């Protein structure tokens, strides 16, 4: 009997897989920190004989090269991917034996990238699972605009054709196991549901239920901004990532934290937004460790700028380090754990700012008030507070001078991004109120929500 273990990367919105039989297994699209897949193999009592990549990833740094080195596995990479390291190139139709009766076959599925390849796992010749990477996702497909703008429409058409190829060649009961689609910005839309099959996708996936011209037009119209750090992921994966170092960073005391802030470095407080608002190091930024820190911090920080992490516990710090190495932020410059009182010189005041709700905003006199919406374009298009200004969170750090004078009431869809934005504004010396509330409450509070 075969097995498939799914390993979630919630922070990045991805999944990777370990699949095999009684003695051997294959790892699919492993992340930079490979200890999880090694542990999964140990629990199963199997040897990893093959490591496969569906494509050169744009949203995270792969651990495939290091995993293959450590285990001695064959490293399978699509032949069309231009890489700088030794690997076994894979072309359409190539097959490898994982163990007796269990085979893995490559299926060319261009679209997410020109070289994208899916892998079909077959037991005794019958397909049982398809590792579809960024091709066929749950209800959607991977976005086609991450490689080269001039190729976007061509790749969107290729996505449609690749989805139809998989649907035509595989039995309806074949499990579809994508890498993207669970929060990753590599997906053109987010997955609806946790599991799927070829048969279900035939009835639900837009690539399989609409004609190619309609599909391409709708896909291209729905594409949003690409996280800035994506520009660094592809080259890192093509070069061959180095092993990671997850040992604790150097400890920073209050004087060093102050010096790093004075030097213009980023000092990032990992605590939740409520704790941060109640007291923090002046000038620090708040990226909640539980709130997609890898995506938002990597998107916003100038690439290569030193970052010092402030955490409430060693465990929180270690978890954040793990998230960050997955996107190429390899080593914090320094770190501190504990409470903000320990991070400022004795006698120094902590910075604070108020939090409120949409009901609180509705009670305010609008004179001298600036309402700042930091949601994405598509979210704002669905409705926004009348009179608010709009700067998406990932652009705010570069556009702070565009925020009008006055007390800034900043909101997003639920509070997380508003917390990040409030910390940026507070660090810049602005009077700010973080609206920690769901956007649906705006209408209930009596605020005028409009579109257009």
């Amino acid at each position: 009997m075969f097995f498939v273990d799914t390993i979630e990367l919630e922070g990045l919105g991805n999944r990777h897989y370990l699949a095999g039989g009684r003695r051997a297994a294959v790892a699919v699209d492993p992340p930079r920190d490979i200890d999880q897949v090694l542990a999964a193999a140990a629990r199963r009592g199997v040897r990893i004989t093959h490591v496969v990549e569906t494509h050169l990833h744009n949203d995270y740094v792969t651990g495939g090269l290091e995993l293959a080195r450590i285990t001695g596995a064959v490293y399978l990479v699509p032949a069309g991917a231009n890489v700088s390291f030794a690997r076994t190139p894979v072309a359409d139709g190539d097959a490898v034996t994982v163990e007796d009766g269990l085979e893995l076959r490559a299926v060319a599925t261009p679209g997410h990238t020109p070289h994208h390849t899916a892998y079909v796992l077959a037991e005794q010749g019958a397909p049982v699972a398809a590792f579809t990477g960024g091709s066929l996702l749950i209800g959607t497909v991977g976005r086609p605009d991450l490689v080269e703008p001039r190729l976007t429409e061509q790749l969107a058409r290729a996505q449609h054709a690749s989805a139809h190829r998989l649907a035509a060649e595989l039995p309806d009961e074949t499990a579809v196991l994508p890498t993207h689609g669970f929060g990753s910005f590599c997906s053109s839309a987010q997955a609806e549901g946790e599991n799927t099959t070829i048969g279900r996708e035939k009835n639900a996936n837009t690539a399989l239920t609409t004609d190619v011209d309609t599909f391409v037009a709708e896909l291209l119209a729905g594409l949003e901004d690409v996280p800035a750090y994506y520009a660094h992921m592809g080259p890192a994966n093509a070069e061959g990532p180095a092993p990671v170092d997850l040992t604790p960073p150097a400890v920073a005391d209050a004087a060093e934290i102050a010096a790093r802030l004075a030097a213009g470095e980023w000092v990032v407080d990992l605590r939740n937004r409520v704790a941060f608002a109640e007291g923090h190091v002046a000038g620090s930024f708040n990226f909640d460790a539980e709130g997609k820190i890898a995506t938002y911090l990597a998107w916003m920080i100038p690439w290569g700028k030193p970052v010092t992490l402030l955490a409430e516990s060693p465990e929180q710090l270690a978890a954040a380090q793990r998230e960050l190495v997955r996107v190429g932020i390899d080593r914090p410059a320094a770190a501190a754990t504990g409470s903000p009182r320990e991070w400022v010189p004795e006698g120094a005041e902590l910075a604070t700012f108020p939090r409120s709700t949409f009901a609180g905003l509705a009670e305010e006199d609008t004179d001298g008030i600036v309402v700042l919406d930091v949601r994405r374009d598509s979210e704002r298009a669905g409705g926004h507070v009348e009179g608010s200004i709009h700067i998406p969170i990932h652009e705010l750090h570069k556009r702070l001078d565009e925020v009008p004078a006055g007390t800034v009431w900043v909101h997003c869809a639920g509070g997380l991004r508003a917390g990040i934005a409030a910390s940026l504004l507070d660090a810049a010396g602005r009077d700010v109120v973080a609206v920690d509330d769901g956007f649906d409450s705006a209408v209930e509070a009596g605020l005028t929500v409009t579109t257009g």
Side-chain angles (χ1 to χ4, degrees):
M1 288 290 292
F2 76 96
F3 74 86
V4 176
D5 288 343
T6 300
I7 305 173
E8 298 274 358
L9 295 181
E10 292 184 6
L12 290 176
N14 285 326
R15 291 176 175 176
H16 62 110
Y17 304 93
L18 181 73
R22 283 183 286 185
R23 298 178 304 278
V26 55
V28 182
D29 287 344
R32 188 89 176 278
D33 51 319
I34 58 175
D35 53 344
Q36 287 181 311
V37 69
L38 289 170
R43 287 192 297 269
R44 287 282 184 178
V46 295
R47 184 169 68 90
I48 297 174
T49 56
H50 296 81
V51 177
V52 304
E53 305 282 5
T54 56
H55 59 294
L56 288 185
H57 305 284
N58 287 287
D59 64 333
Y60 68 91
V61 181
T62 182
L65 182 63
E66 179 66 3
L67 181 60
R69 185 188 70 80
I70 286 178
T71 61
V74 178
Y75 191 25
L76 305 178
V77 178
N82 186 16
V83 299
S84 301
F85 50 83
R87 88 290 190 206
T88 299
V90 176
D92 185 45
D94 287 351
V96 296
T97 298
V98 180
E99 66 177 39
D100 289 346
L102 203 59
E103 183 181 77
L104 196 70
R105 176 172 59 89
V107 180
T109 46
H112 187 47
T113 67
H115 61 263
H116 192 283
T117 301
Y119 297 88
V120 175
L121 185 69
E123 185 180 44
Q124 303 300 335
V128 291
F131 300 101
T132 55
S135 180
L136 187 67
L137 312 185
I138 300 179
T140 185
V141 296
R143 57 193 297 172
D145 61 327
L146 302 180
V147 177
E148 160 60 56
R150 291 170 295 183
L151 296 178
T152 297
E153 181 174 349
Q154 174 186 330
L155 289 175
R157 292 183 178 275
Q159 278 288 51
H160 189 271
S162 292
H164 280 262
R165 179 185 180 186
L166 290 171
E169 293 185 4
L170 297 176
D172 283 357
E173 62 271 21
T174 307
V176 174
L177 302 171
T179 300
H180 303 314
F182 310 97
S184 168
F185 283 90
C186 271
S187 175
S188 59
Q190 296 314 305
E192 296 292 336
E194 290 295 310
N195 303 291
T196 193
T197 62
I198 288 292
R200 290 178 194 168
E201 292 309 300
K202 285 181 178 178
N203 295 319
N205 196 299
T206 54
L208 298 173
T209 58
T210 57
D211 65 88
V212 62
D213 290 333
T214 301
F215 168 79
V216 169
E218 292 178 350
L219 179 62
L220 299 187
L223 295 174
E224 297 196 78
D225 289 349
V226 177
Y229 73 91
Y230 277 26
H232 305 281
M233 300 297 95
N237 288 325
E239 182 178 347
V244 298
D245 178 2
L246 290 174
T247 58
V251 177
D253 60 14
E256 182 176 351
I257 292 169
R260 290 188 177 279
L261 283 168
E265 297 182 11
W266 279 37
V267 174
V268 171
D269 190 325
L270 301 170
R271 296 174 301 142
N272 71 65
R273 59 186 182 267
V274 177
F276 183 86
E278 291 175 348
H280 56 270
V281 179
S284 63
F285 302 143
N286 181 217
F287 288 81
D288 187 336
E290 300 298 319
K292 297 181 83 68
I293 180 177
T295 295
Y296 286 113
L297 179 56
W299 196 338
M300 296 169 67
I301 191 170
W303 198 253
K305 180 176 281 290
V307 60
T308 295
L309 300 179
L310 307 179
E312 61 188 6
S313 68
E315 292 77 18
Q316 186 180 63
L317 174 62
Q321 276 187 262
R322 181 177 291 272
E323 291 282 345
L324 293 176
V325 297
R326 292 171 179 166
V327 293
I329 300 177
D330 284 5
R331 293 292 296 168
T337 58
S339 70
R341 286 289 176 195
E342 303 170 70
W343 304 333
V344 297
E346 187 174 352
E349 291 294 321
L350 295 177
T352 65
F353 55 77
R355 297 164 52 249
S356 190
T357 62
F358 283 107
L361 175 58
E363 294 172 358
E364 287 290 315
D365 186 337
T366 57
D367 289 343
I369 292 294
V370 177
V371 179
L372 173 62
D373 181 349
V374 296
R375 296 174 300 159
R376 297 190 302 275
D377 290 345
S378 62
E379 294 173 288
R380 184 169 173 86
H384 61 270
V385 175
E386 187 174 58
S388 63
I389 65 170
H390 180 224
I391 303 176
I393 184 63
H394 59 275
E395 299 179 6
L396 181 59
H397 61 302
K398 296 180 179 179
R399 298 174 58 186
L400 287 169
D401 58 351
E402 297 179 28
V403 181
T407 299
V408 184
W409 286 63
V410 58
H411 80 85
C412 58
L416 175 70
R417 288 171 290 176
I420 297 173
S423 74
L424 297 176
L425 290 158
D426 176 72
R430 299 296 301 270
D431 291 329
V432 63
V433 179
V435 179
D436 198 349
D437 202 359
F439 187 72
D440 290 344
S441 299
V443 172
E444 297 171 10
L447 294 167
T448 300
V449 174
T450 185
T451 59

